[in-house]
Structure formats: structure tokens, C-alpha cells
Amino acid sequence: MPKNIYTIMGATGNIGEVLTDKLIKNGHEVRVLGRNKDKLTALQTKGAKTYPLKFDSEASLAEAFQGATAVFSFIPPFYEADDFGAQQDRVGEAIVAALTKAKIKYVLNLSSIGAHLKMGTGPIQGLQRHEERLNSLKGVNILHFRPVYFMENQFLSIPLIKSEGINGSPLRSDLPIPLVATQDVGAKAAIFLDKLDFKGVSEFEFVGPDEVTLEKFTSVLGKAIGMEDLRYVQFSYEEAKRAMLSSGMKPSTVDLLIEMDRSYNEGKILPTQEINKDHQGSTTIEQFAQVFAAAYRVTN
């Protein structure tokens, strides 16, 4: 008999895969939810029960949640949506309705550092609204898990590095960020769900082992891919906006991403809790650079 039954949203992502794998190894029954049936197949071979579905389908979510000990709540980024924030809200509303219908008692909600702010944080605002939505549930133990900026976000820079020989974004080159690896986020989420010792409504912020500037991060990534002279360039907000729009991104999404970068640059998106070892992942930028190098080699 399994110890507990867990339903994992976004199971095919970097965090979800690590979380699912660890829960299965710990003897739990795991139901994995994702939008792509083919991507769920690999998790099925590990013993997970697969539920390919749309995250804004209340009925489908409720079926996947039914009988679960706890749910890992996750709102994916909807870069293809005409209205990024509205789609976040549709998914969030479906999640809350499904949790209510299935009478779930424990929810680990993936949010973000900065979700305590109600304005000016771009996509994080949608996660803040979801936190409030979940907090309205009665008799449910909810932990809002708030990691910081992911190291894996640098994967998005691979085309730029290959085409222009530089790395860059609107974020300041000298901005110290305690970047965290998604594998550490997934591992920490597994600990929370394995223990299930959170009560009421609480928040937990999670960062990497060190504060790192993007200038330093770029230098380390460059060495890993054999580009010793790789440098970081801070683009203006207008330059970044034009580039994102020309790549096909929707205007509402671009505006939110620029707003988030501006908030980071202005020092608004910061941890609010005391950061000790319990709140830190272990993956260093040097270790992540090897993962980045492998992805760089296989990306066209």
C-alpha cells in the first residue's frame, strides 16, 4: 500500500519531474498532470498515474484531485495566451473549485518570491492573486512555496548567445540575485509533501546558496561552453520589448515581463523572511553551468 496519494500539477516541468521522482521513490502513489500526453509517458514508466488535461478544466482537475492526500498546485506560464494574466486567473479559479469539490486538506502551492506584493511585479501578480484565492478556502492547510529567480531561465538566452555572441536582458548586470536551481526546488517540495507537517496558511521562501550578479553568472556559463569572452549586456526596456514582440510574443505577456524586470532592478522583489540553510538550495552556478553547457550543445 502506498504511504500517501499526491496529485502533481505541471509534472513534466523541471520542478515537477524531480518532485514526482522523489515521491515515487519514497513509496507514495503519484498522479501526474500535464498538458502534453506524450511528455507524461516517461513518468508513467516510473510508476506514476497520468492525467493529460487542460489546467483550466475544473471537472478534469477535480477528477485528478479526488481522494488525494495533498495537491501540488501550479500555474504554468502562458506565453501563448492573448491575455497572460487572465489565463492565470482562469486556471487559478479552476484549481480552487476543483480543490473544493475534491475536499482536499493539504495544498503545496508553487508561488514566487515577490508574491507578497500586489502591484508592479508582472507575472508574479497572477501568483499573488492565486495565493489570495487559495487562502479563502476553509479547513485547508496551505503552504505557499516561494522560490526566487530560476537558474534555468538562462536557457532562454541560448539563441541570443549563439546568434550574437552575448548574453543579455533588461536586468542590471550588477544586480545580486540568490539564483536557485529548479532541481533544488523540486527536492524541497518533495520534503514538504513527504512530511505534510504544515498547518493553516503559511509561506516559505527559497533561494540558492549564493547571491550572484548576471555579469558573474554569464562569465561562468561562458567558460562552460568554451566562450571565455562571453559578456552580459543590459538591454533597455524598449530594446527588450521590441525583441520579444518581434519573436512573436503577445503584447500582454511582454508588458508583464518588462514590469517584472523593472521591479527586480528597483530592488522590490526580495526575500522577506530570514534566509538560513533550510531556505537554501545547494546547487552552485558552477554546477549548473555544466547542465547549461549540455543544453547549449544540443540546441539548434
Side-chain angles (χ1 to χ4, degrees):
M1 292 289 291
K3 295 179 182 178
N4 287 318
I5 301 172
Y6 295 111
T7 299
I8 309 301
M9 299 185 68
T12 58
N14 292 326
I15 295 170
E17 284 190 7
V18 172
L19 171 57
T20 297
D21 188 57
K22 289 188 176 295
L23 290 176
I24 290 174
K25 287 179 178 178
N26 287 344
H28 301 293
E29 177 182 317
V30 182
R31 303 169 181 175
V32 291
L33 280 57
R35 294 175 289 177
N36 188 311
K37 185 177 181 179
D38 293 336
K39 289 184 178 181
L40 291 171
T41 302
L43 297 176
Q44 186 176 28
T45 62
K46 294 181 178 181
K49 296 185 177 181
T50 61
Y51 290 78
L53 48 75
K54 293 183 178 180
F55 284 0
D56 57 0
S57 171
E58 174 189 334
S60 298
L61 289 175
E63 179 183 353
F65 292 172
Q66 192 66 46
T69 309
V71 168
F72 180 70
S73 168
F74 168 73
I75 297 181
F78 293 101
Y79 297 123
E80 73 284 359
D82 288 330
D83 190 327
F84 189 107
Q87 184 62 22
Q88 284 181 305
D89 289 337
R90 280 191 288 272
V91 171
E93 289 163 3
I95 291 172
V96 169
L99 290 169
T100 302
K101 188 173 183 179
K103 299 179 181 178
I104 299 300
K105 296 300 181 185
Y106 285 91
V107 176
L108 177 62
N109 174 49
L110 184 64
S111 187
S112 171
I113 280 182
H116 66 289
L117 301 170
K118 295 187 177 183
M119 295 178 60
T121 58
I124 299 174
Q125 286 176 207
L127 304 181
Q128 187 274 332
R129 294 193 298 272
H130 189 48
E131 286 194 11
E132 290 192 346
R133 205 176 283 120
L134 288 169
N135 292 348
S136 69
L137 295 171
K138 304 299 182 184
V140 183
N141 300 299
I142 302 167
L143 175 58
H144 298 299
F145 185 25
R146 296 175 175 174
V148 74
Y149 199 89
F150 298 142
M151 293 183 186
E152 282 77 3
N153 288 340
Q154 291 302 299
F155 288 150
L156 299 174
S157 294
I158 290 177
L160 174 65
I161 295 172
K162 289 198 168 187
S163 64
E164 304 297 331
I166 60 171
N167 186 18
S169 80
L171 291 174
R172 286 169 28 211
S173 62
D174 63 345
L175 179 69
I177 306 175
L179 302 165
V180 69
T182 54
Q183 66 177 7
D184 292 343
V185 177
K188 189 67 176 181
I191 292 172
F192 285 132
L193 288 178
D194 196 46
K195 291 183 177 180
L196 279 186
D197 58 358
F198 53 91
K199 302 294 181 183
V201 175
S202 56
E203 301 83 29
F204 189 95
E205 295 178 339
F206 194 65
V207 303
D210 299 294
E211 288 193 335
V212 181
T213 66
L214 289 175
E215 183 176 50
K216 171 65 174 178
F217 197 21
T218 296
S219 176
V220 171
L221 296 179
K223 290 175 182 177
I225 61 175
M227 294 180 64
E228 296 284 340
D229 60 347
L230 183 65
R231 62 190 180 91
Y232 180 85
V233 177
Q234 181 185 351
F235 303 134
S236 71
Y237 297 123
E238 283 304 316
E239 287 173 329
K241 184 173 182 176
R242 285 195 299 269
M244 286 188 280
L245 289 173
S246 66
S247 73
M249 293 181 70
K250 301 298 176 67
S252 74
T253 300
V254 171
D255 289 342
L256 288 173
L257 292 175
I258 293 295
E259 182 179 83
M260 180 178 68
D261 287 342
R262 191 187 299 273
S263 289
Y264 264 109
N265 284 340
E266 294 175 355
K268 295 178 181 178
I269 301 178
L270 295 169
T272 63
Q273 300 175 343
E274 180 182 351
I275 301 300
N276 54 34
K277 288 294 183 183
D278 193 38
H279 290 256
Q280 290 179 301
S282 60
T283 302
T284 65
I285 58 173
E286 289 79 13
Q287 291 169 327
F288 173 77
Q290 301 310 308
V291 178
F292 181 86
Y296 184 86
R297 287 192 290 269
V298 300
T299 302
N300 294 327

